[in-house]
């Protein structure tokens, strides 16, 4: 089946630094990817829709300058958490569709801990 | 055992019993629903989906029921096994978005299977 890979699986960083998370579709091309965040024992919340070759679409309340999304190719989207603070500590998950009206596959997630 | 996702976030069942996990979705315009299984520290794993033109869909050991009148979705797992222990999320597509991959997740129900 389709595989979506995220890297890194976990990252610890100091407050004020920036962290980049990669989301790759390994065996298919994804014109659209999605980024979610999940706090402990809570549900997934959609942050933004990542569109290949164009600007990302952010959900209400998500700071676009804080969470930079780049979708430079059909198989890679990156999420950069800029000037991370402890409140940004969360589980970040990406997803991608194999095609229009096809199934959605999720990455394995990235646990970010900001000290 | 039976659980309402919004009010009873944990469901404990005996191995071999059937499990029923319930979910109340938010928007009557949603037309696509998915159940996901999430194990600790991992991304969501697709279980089964259903479109709004159906009331029931069966998979291997799982059945999803959709009641559009009361905006209710349920996941039935037959002969529950220890490997079924996880958090289960229902998700609906963003209204009027078609199957674009933008999803609204429910709060989740933890399923604990006792040996």
């Amino acid at each position: 089946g389709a595989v979506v890979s995220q890297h890194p699986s976990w990252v610890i960083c100091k407050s004020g630094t920036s962290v980049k998370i990669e989301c790759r579709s390994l065996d298919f091309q994804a014109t659209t990817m999605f980024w979610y965040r999940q706090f402990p024992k809570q549900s997934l919340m959609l942050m933004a829709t990542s569109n290949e070759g164009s600007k990302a679409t952010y959900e209400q309340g998500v700071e676009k300058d804080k969470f930079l999304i780049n979708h430079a190719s059909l198989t890679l989207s990156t999420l950069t958490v800029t000037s991370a603070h402890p409140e940004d500590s969360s589980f970040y998950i990406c997803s991608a569709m194999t095609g229009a009206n096809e199934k959605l596959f999720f990455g394995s997630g990235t646990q970010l801990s900001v000290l | 055992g039976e659980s309402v996702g919004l009010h009873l976030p944990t469901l404990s069942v005996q191995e071999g019993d059937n499990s029923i996990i319930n979910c109340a979705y938010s928007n009557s315009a949603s037309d696509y629903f998915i159940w996901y299984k999430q194990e600790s520290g991992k991304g969501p794993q697709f279980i089964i989906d259903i479109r709004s033109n159906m009331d029931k869909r069966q998979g291997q050991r799982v059945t999803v029921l959709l009641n559009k009148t009361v905006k209710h979705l349920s996941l039935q797992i037959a002969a529950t096994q220890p490997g079924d222990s996880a958090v289960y999320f229902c998700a609906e597509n963003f209204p009027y978005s078609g199957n674009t991959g933008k999803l609204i997740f429910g709060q989740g129900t933890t399923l604990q299977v006792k040996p």
Side-chain angles (χ1 to χ4, degrees), chain A residues 34 36 38 42-44 46 49 59 91 93 97 101-104 106-108, chain B residues 36 38 41-44 46 49 51 89 94 99-103 105-107:
Chain A
F34 304 89
Y36 292 81
Q38 184 179 29
Q42 294 190 25
S43 189
L44 285 77
L46 179 66
T49 302
E59 295 303 310
F91 194 53
I93 309 169
M97 295 185 73
N101 295 316
E102 295 296 329
K103 285 190 170 55
L104 189 68
F106 282 83
S108 53
Chain B
Y36 287 98
Q38 186 180 31
K42 297 183 179 180
F46 174 91
D49 59 359
R51 297 197 178 275
F89 291 97
F94 268 58
N99 186 12
T100 64
K102 290 182 63 173
L103 300 176
F105 279 80
Q107 75 163 50

Side-chain angles (χ1 to χ4, degrees), chain A residues 12 21 23 26 31 33-34 49 56-57 65 84 92 94 99 108-110:
Chain A
I12 301 173
I21 302 169
C23 178
L26 295 185
T31 55
M33 293 184 176
F34 304 89
T49 302
T57 304
D65 295 329
Y92 292 88
C94 70
S108 53
T110 297

Side-chain angles (χ1 to χ4, degrees), chain A residues 17-21 35-39 45-50 55-70 77-92 112 114:
Chain A
T17 61
S18 295
V19 175
K20 179 184 285 188
I21 302 169
W35 287 96
Y36 292 81
R37 69 186 297 182
Q38 184 179 29
F39 292 109
M45 294 294 293
L46 179 66
M47 298 175 66
T49 302
S50 173
K55 292 182 179 180
T57 304
Y58 290 82
E59 295 303 310
Q60 190 173 9
V62 178
E63 300 176 59
K64 62 180 181 180
D65 295 329
K66 173 76 172 177
F67 300 99
L68 300 179
I69 292 173
N70 184 278
S77 175
T78 61
L79 168 68
T80 301
V81 183
T82 62
S83 186
H85 291 285
E87 57 266 30
D88 297 323
S89 298
S90 184
F91 194 53
Y92 292 88
L112 170 64
V114 184

Side-chain angles (χ1 to χ4, degrees), chain B residues 4-5 8-10 16 25 29 35 38 43-45 59 61 67 69-70 73-74 78 80 87 96 99 101 103 112 115:
Chain B
V4 175
L8 295 174
T10 300
Y25 62 92
W35 279 100
Q38 186 180 31
Q45 176 186 354
R61 277 202 310 120
N67 185 330
T69 303
V70 294
L73 196 66
S74 69
T80 313
V87 178
Y96 311 113
N99 186 12
L103 300 176
Q112 297 176 341

